[in-house]
Structures are given as structure tokens and as C-alpha cells.
Amino acid sequence: MNYSGYAHIHTIGCQMNVYDSEKLGTVLNALGYQPTPDPEQADIIVCNTCAVRHKAEEKAFSFLGRFARDKQKKPHLITVMAGCVAQQEGNNAFQRLPHLDLVLGTQAFSRFSRHIEALKSGQRRITDTDPSDVIFEALPDDTAFAENPVSKFVTIMQGCDNFCTYCVVPYVRGRERSRPWQSIVEEIKVLADNGIREVTLLGQNVNSYGAKENSLSFAGLLEKVAAVDGIHRIRFATSHPKDLSEELIQAMAKLNKVCNHLHLPVQSGADRILKKMNRGYTRELYLSRIDALRSAIPDIGLSTDIIVGFPSETVSDFEDTMALVEQVGFDSIFAFAYSDRSFAPAARFSDPVDEAEKMARLNRLLAFQDTVTRKKNEQMTGRVLRVLVEGVSAKQHDGFVKTTPHTRQMTGRSETNKVVHFPSDTLTPGDLADVRIDNAYPHSLWGQPLEQMFQ
Ligand code: SF4
């Protein structure tokens, strides 16, 4: 019998970790483990970790630390630290977590199954942080469709060669390497056959997909994915401004399935800071990319990442960032106060910005963006947006009126990535619907579906 008990996978961090956790789950399912949402019930606990921020790292240690006592009661319990913190810490992880069984680095996922078998036969404290050129591949199984039956992430490349000075990714995820397009398309066909209608292609810098391998470009990959029957929408993240080619912009404009939305991290509006961050572009180049995008795709939705208070950022540098944010008019931003990551070069930069000043700058930026986001949402009222239905809304909206005893409040996203709520008796997850927007809220829209488009 292949039955091995229950497995609980806890994911911290980015979309890529969500994808990787699903793949680790596939391995455990093949070994006979059954997924459980309840860690108490589990015979194997995996924490897939993130090292991008100190807080995320601490969360990983604290989550795994909870199982020290369980292990005394349940000696067969296997505990695994996987991902970026595992890669970064290696054997040191055992000092803080003496009960830990496996430290599985970012490039060791293809050896996960072998390590679990070794632990089951009595081995203890295995560390695998060896580099590998191989990208771990595993086709999704039935359990992968239980949580989100409409939309899935698909990693197309791993690692990064950019070495931004604040970032640990090149050190913990290794150098950039792309998956062959054939295996990406094969995976997406399996997803489509199982009802998935939207895929988000993931990589640290998707714009340079295939460049090192001298294979298909990212624009070429989008064409291949767009040809997969059953997929209605394609999104991707993350894009690097320096690699955003005209070829890619034209592909986005031409391919109907590619959503009119781009997340393009700028990080700072000051050239001096961009240089210290080693971002490889200037403010002028970034703005010229925005102009090119808007002239090819006039209604494109734009979002960005910003780091506030990078070492030596002056008031004038910060004002440059504020001015850029105002000039572009992003639909949304993800802004963070800079914090040192010990493995990243910027941790050794002098002239840190005072913490209170950092927070004051961050709050000013976020407050400004709130007004822009609200205004952008208000401009949507009266317009008809095509929405991919994701499911029943978790929260009931003020404008919700039951027209029949069965009317449900549904939720979905526009192509520009805006959350849209609407009432419907008939629409189901995976449908596309045209929704007329009646009300705008700070973080969502409310409307009425005109008709069901197609399934
Ligand atoms: S592009 Fe820069 S920020 Fe993004 S993963 Fe690579 S090094 Fe990190």
C-alpha cells in the first residue's frame, strides 16, 4: 500500500512559491500522502519559505518552531523547510529548529521525493542546497484544481541575473534559466483540459525569457500560449523595464487573450537611487516605456512596485518618485519601506534613512495613490468591462439585492485587473461576462452583468 498519511504545506511569500508548493504537493500525493488543511492532523509539514523580507523569514521560523512539541508526541512527524530561507540558511536552520528534518533549497525540489523516502527510512537532518540547472517539473494532478478552479500560476523561468542591490533572489534562487516552451505549453494544455481559463506566467524577469538559451522570445511564448484552446486570458509577472521590448508591446496589443494590464516595477523615480539599486534603466527610459505601452494599448492598466527610503534617499529623490507616480497615474502600487536583507549588497550601504522619516514618506505616497486609485475606479462607472468570473464573493456588497431567492453575489476581474462584484443567478466560475459598472469603491467595482458571453 502506498498510503503514507496526511501532508500540510504552508506557503509564505510570492506567487512563485504558491506554484512551487503545488508542485511539492504533487510529489507528496504521488508518495501516497493526502493533503490536509489542518497541521495538527499532518504526518508531514512543509513550510515553503520566502527571504525577500525579514518579516517573512521570521514567519517561517516561527511556523516551523510550533512543531517541536508535536514531534515529541508524534516521532514519525516529518518537518521540512523548503525554498529561499532554506537555501539561504542551509545547516544553520538546525540551530534554531533542532527538530527540523529536511532543509530543501530552491534548486533541490526535483530531489524532494528521494529525501522524503530517506527520512522515512530513518535518516535525519538532511540538507540539500546544491545548485541545479534543471527546473523542477511536475504536471498538475487533481488536487491542484481544488482551490482555484479558474486561474493558475505557471512558472516559465527561475532565478535572476540582474543583481539589484537590495534583492536576495540571485543568491537564493540562482542564475536565470528558462523552461523549454514545449513543456510550458504542455502544462497549460493540461490546465485548460481541467477547466482553467486564465494563466499567469511567472518569472523574476519574464521579459528576458529564452534570451540566455537563445530560444523562443517571451513574445513568441505568448503566441504559443494564446493558441491553447480553452484558455481565455493570459497574464504575466514580473516585467523588468530594461527588457520590455517593442516586440513584446506589439504582441500584447495584438493577442486578444493577453490582458491589458502590466505590472512594471519602477522602484524609484530618482536616477541616482536607480543607479545605486543597479536597476539598469533611468527614469527617462521607464517613462518612455510607459508612453510606448499607452500608445499601443490606450486602455492598459498599470501597476508598479516602489521602495521608499533606500539608503541615502534624500527628500529631493523621494519627491522625484512622487512626481513620477503622479505623472504615470498607476492604477495601483505596491510600496514598501526599505529594509536590509543581510545577503544583499545594499545591507552594507552607508547613510540609512531614519525609520520615522521612511514611514512618513511611505504614508504620504500611499495616501496619494489611494486618491489616484479611487479616481481611476470612478472613471469606470458607466463603462462595460469584460470580467472573468472567479466565484462567489466572500463579502456581501452594499449594492447587492436578491432578485430571486437564489441570486448570488459573484466576483471576478476585468482585463485591467480590477475586482468587479455583481449579482447573478446563472454565471459560474470560468465564464466571461460583460458587466456594466454602476459604482466605484476604493478597491473594487460593482455592476450588473449584461449577458453571459461564453464558457
Ligand atoms: S530583477 Fe532585481 S529585484 Fe527582481 S528578482 Fe532580479 S535582482 Fe531581484
Side-chain angles (χ1 to χ4, degrees), residues 160-164 166-170 204-205 240 267 279:
C160 185
D161 286 351
N162 285 316
F163 292 93
C164 300
Y166 53 82
C167 181
V168 293
V169 166
Q204 305 296 346
N205 180 11
H240 198 300
Q267 307 300 6
R279 288 292 288 171

Side-chain angles (χ1 to χ4, degrees), residues 2-4 31 33 78 115-123:
N2 205 18
Y3 178 76
S4 295
L31 289 172
Y33 286 95
I78 293 175
H115 295 319
I116 294 297
E117 294 291 13
L119 290 167
K120 280 166 70 180
S121 35
Q123 222 176 304

Side-chain angles (χ1 to χ4, degrees), residues 207 217-220 222-223 240-254 285 288-297:
N207 301 161
S217 67
F218 184 56
L222 288 179
E223 291 217 21
H240 198 300
K242 76 175 169 52
D243 298 312
L244 181 63
S245 66
E246 195 52 38
E247 184 202 12
L248 176 56
I249 294 174
Q250 291 311 321
M252 289 178 71
K254 183 180 87 181
L285 185 132
S288 76
R289 298 290 74 203
I290 297 290
D291 287 346
L293 281 161
R294 283 197 166 134
S295 69
I297 313 160

